[in-house]
Amino acid sequence: GAVSLASTLSVGGAANFASTVTVVGIGTFKDDVSVSGNTNLGGTVTVAGAVSLASTLSVGGAANFASTVTIAGAVSLASTLSVGGAANFASTVTVVGAGTFKSNVTVSGNMDIAGNISVGGTLFAAGGITYDGNVSVSGNLAVGGNTSIGGTLSVTGAVSLASTLSVGGVSNFLSTVTVAGNTRLGAIVTVVGA
């Protein structure tokens, strides 16, 4: 029948429980614990050492990790992932839905974005940036180095150039062109209007 222990139970060898084990107070295990079936924990679990999981870990509530978490396989998150410190990814990171970064994001390798990217602050790129699709800039664009454009550049607003503009091919201006300083034209200039 039932067994009630008012004090400590110390087992020097193996202990096999064929049915449910309920611990109302604190349970301390100083060696390995092997559970072949399901384990239901109604309160907090504190693990001072390493934890190895050979199968799935399902957490219905909050999970707080005060130290490093190393995952060798795939991780699927059905809800929000909140990281208060640094997050290092040694391999590919795939985001199917929206990804929101409220602080700095540093990428030392290549970054491939198949959809839209919206940057509310400053975007700084130490290397090259290649765009296969359209690029829309609603604010100011400052370029400290050289800019190479292989296709057509269409500007609907004003353009201010503080230095030299060199054009190797044909330039078409559909509206007014105002030059405040000197202008040097090395080839033919054709004016269609007045």
Side-chain angles (χ1 to χ4, degrees), residues 6-167:
S7 185
T8 304
L9 170 65
S10 179
V11 181
N16 295 319
F17 302 95
S19 184
T20 304
V21 177
T22 303
V23 180
V24 178
I26 297 173
T28 302
F29 303 93
K30 295 183 178 179
D31 206 339
D32 295 338
V33 176
S34 224
V35 180
S36 59
N38 296 326
T39 303
N40 295 320
L41 304 170
T44 303
V45 178
T46 302
V47 181
V51 176
S52 176
L53 301 174
S55 185
T56 304
L57 170 65
S58 296
V59 180
N64 296 319
F65 301 95
S67 186
T68 303
V69 177
T70 302
I71 300 172
V75 178
S76 177
L77 302 174
S79 186
T80 304
L81 169 65
S82 179
V83 180
N88 297 319
F89 301 96
S91 185
T92 304
V93 178
T94 303
V95 180
V96 178
T100 302
F101 303 94
K102 295 183 180 180
S103 186
N104 297 329
V105 177
T106 302
V107 180
S108 58
N110 297 326
M111 182 169 60
D112 185 11
I113 300 174
N116 297 327
I117 180 171
S118 177
V119 180
T122 302
L123 175 63
F124 175 74
I129 299 179
T130 302
Y131 297 100
D132 293 332
N134 297 327
V135 178
S136 176
V137 180
S138 58
N140 296 327
L141 174 64
V143 180
N146 297 326
T147 302
S148 176
I149 300 174
T152 303
L153 173 63
S154 177
V155 181
T156 58
V159 177
S160 176
L161 302 174
S163 185
T164 304
L165 170 64
S166 297
V167 180

